[in-house]
């Protein structure tokens, strides 16, 4: 019997409960996976508390990245039973088994473990589009990355360093700052101790940065604008402190600034992007240029505790849920 951890209604972690179901059979163009590792992300919290609209009235299965082994394939599928794959979707990953379109399943190279794949499909591909598309970095750039010790931040810091980009990070507390420095950031500002605005301006000799990658939202968005160079770009890709609704278009007039609010799943809809970006990401990991920090593991049944740790900023790197 397969099972999932679903939400009865939007709200607290007490809304999680276990539901059981028969292992689904794949239809044409689909595969059924036995899942071995599931990633945890802030988007899961956004769905849980109702910031993002639910696609079903109740018993929503959240979770947006996972890895597993194919147990059955539908008609017209080139993937094979026993093959290891990973995927990222907006919801549905908090389960022991999953059926999905074969086009969403990315075959895993031998060098990439299931745990690593589950930790990077959403976070690593997010880092990919941030620095290659939202604001395509060049070696001459200096950028600021908030939440540098988080799952996306640690991957992005290493990727930026490999590209020769000067990356300044922000993190909360000495331990998280040290972790971010060990993952590619040249300088890291402890936002609990110092205001990042004067620190960034000091570190850049008053010039500011070419781009700010901001997943914090309400607490940081207006200050992020203050450290941008003329024609600089604010990449707002999350809202862990609340929606950045305090930002107005008129704020961009300060220095002819640019604003983008990208999401991963718009990128994955582009034909060929998922396969190409995944291959580039796996190659970076296999080469050692990017090391994946899996700092926490929880049983899937304890997903409520995992959510509370992530929301309370008590985690670093990536968190894995084990079915």
């Amino acid at each position: 019997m397969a099972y999932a951890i679903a939400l009865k209604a939007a709200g607290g972690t007490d809304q999680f409960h276990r539901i059981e179901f028969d292992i689904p059979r794949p239809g044409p163009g689909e595969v059924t996976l036995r899942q071995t590792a599931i990633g945890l992300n802030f988007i899961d919290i956004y769905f849980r508390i109702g910031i993002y609209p639910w696609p079903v009235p109740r018993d929503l299965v959240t979770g947006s990245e996972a890895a597993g082994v194919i147990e059955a394939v539908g008609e017209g599928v080139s993937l094979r039973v026993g093959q290891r794959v990973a995927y990222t979707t907006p919801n549905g990953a908090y389960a022991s088994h999953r059926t999905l379109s074969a086009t969403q399943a990315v075959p895993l190279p031998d060098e990439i473990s299931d745990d690593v794949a589950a930790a990077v499909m959403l976070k690593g591909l997010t880092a990919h589009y941030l620095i290659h598309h939202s604001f395509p970095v060049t070696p001459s750039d200096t950028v600021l990355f908030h939440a540098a010790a988080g799952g996306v931040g640690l991957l992005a810091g290493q990727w930026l360093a490999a590209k020769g980009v000067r990356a300044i990070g922000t993190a909360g507390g000495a331990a998280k700052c040290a972790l971010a420095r060990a993952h590619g950031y040249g300088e890291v500002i402890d936002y609990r101790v110092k205001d990042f605005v004067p620190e960034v301006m000091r570190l850049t000799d008053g010039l500011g940065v070419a781009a700010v990658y901001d997943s914090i939202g309400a607490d940081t968005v207006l200050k992020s604008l203050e450290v941008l160079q003329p024609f600089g770009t604010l990449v707002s890709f999350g809202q862990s402190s609340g929606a950045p609704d305090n930002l107005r278009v008129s704020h961009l007039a300060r220095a002819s600034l640019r604003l983008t609010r990208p999401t991963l799943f718009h990128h994955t809809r582009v034909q060929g992007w998922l396969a190409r970006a995944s291959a580039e990401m796996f190659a970076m990991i296999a080469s050692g240029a990017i090391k994946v920090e899996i700092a926490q593991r929880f049983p899937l049944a304890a997903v409520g505790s995992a959510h509370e740790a992530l929301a309370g900023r008590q985690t670093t790197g990536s968190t894995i849920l084990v079915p």
Side-chain angles (χ1 to χ4, degrees):
M1 183 69 71
Y3 75 94
I5 304 298
L7 290 162
K8 296 181 236 181
T13 57
D14 59 333
Q15 296 300 317
F16 281 120
H17 69 124
R18 177 178 172 128
I19 57 175
E20 296 187 345
F21 55 93
D22 293 331
I23 296 175
R25 297 179 63 84
E30 294 182 333
V31 295
T32 296
L33 311 181
R34 174 178 54 82
Q35 304 202 135
T36 54
I38 301 162
L40 178 72
N41 295 278
F42 256 102
I43 190 175
D44 307 348
I45 294 176
Y46 300 158
F47 276 110
R48 172 174 61 78
I49 64 180
I51 288 177
Y52 288 177
W54 282 28
V56 295
R58 60 164 286 132
D59 283 342
L60 174 67
V61 179
T62 50
S64 49
E65 61 183 349
V69 179
I70 295 177
E71 289 200 332
V73 299
E75 182 182 351
V77 174
S78 59
L79 298 172
R80 64 184 186 279
V81 172
Q83 192 167 10
R84 295 187 310 118
V85 297
Y87 68 86
T88 179
T89 59
N91 282 299
Y94 290 178
S96 63
H97 295 75
R98 179 88 188 270
T99 292
L100 72 164
S101 170
T103 61
Q104 296 172 303
V106 177
L108 295 180
D110 292 341
E111 304 86 7
I112 306 298
S113 71
D114 291 8
D115 278 8
V116 166
V120 299
M121 284 303 292
L122 185 139
K123 290 178 281 289
L125 290 175
T126 296
H128 185 288
Y129 80 68
L130 288 175
I131 67 176
H132 293 91
H133 185 256
S134 300
F135 178 80
V137 294
T138 66
S140 63
D141 291 325
T142 298
V143 301
L144 175 66
F145 208 105
H146 289 302
V152 176
L154 293 182
L155 298 172
Q158 297 173 83
W159 217 326
L160 290 164
K163 288 179 167 293
V165 176
R166 183 189 182 194
I168 302 170
T170 68
K176 287 191 175 183
C177 289
L179 182 64
R181 287 190 196 95
H183 287 75
Y185 292 92
E187 298 93 4
V188 183
I189 301 163
D190 186 344
Y191 65 78
R192 294 180 180 174
V193 177
K194 296 179 179 180
D195 183 340
F196 73 84
V197 173
E199 280 299 295
V200 169
M201 299 311 290
R202 181 184 66 82
L203 291 169
T204 60
D205 297 324
L207 297 176
V209 296
V212 179
Y213 299 97
D214 191 335
S215 63
I216 305 299
D219 288 354
T220 54
V221 65
L222 295 183
K223 288 188 172 184
S224 291
L225 296 180
E226 294 182 38
V227 301
L228 284 169
Q229 301 168 1
F231 309 106
T233 300
L234 172 62
V235 183
S236 174
F237 70 102
Q239 51 189 53
S240 62
S241 69
D245 294 339
N246 46 340
L247 173 64
R248 299 191 302 270
V249 171
S250 58
H251 287 130
L252 304 178
R254 186 188 68 80
S256 296
L257 303 176
R258 301 180 177 94
L259 169 67
T260 181
R261 189 12 178 134
T263 66
L264 173 61
F265 301 113
H266 290 144
H267 289 77
T268 58
R269 292 173 195 165
V270 177
Q271 186 173 7
W273 186 90
L274 179 61
R276 182 176 67 255
S278 297
E280 292 174 5
M281 175 177 67
F282 292 150
M284 292 291 289
I285 296 170
S287 73
I290 292 178
K291 295 179 174 60
V292 180
E293 184 82 16
I294 299 174
Q296 300 84 207
R297 285 181 173 81
F298 292 82
L300 178 56
V303 66
S305 297
H307 270 231
E308 289 166 0
L310 181 61
R313 300 188 184 183
Q314 299 166 8
T315 65
T316 59
S318 297
T319 300
I320 293 296
L321 305 172
V322 182

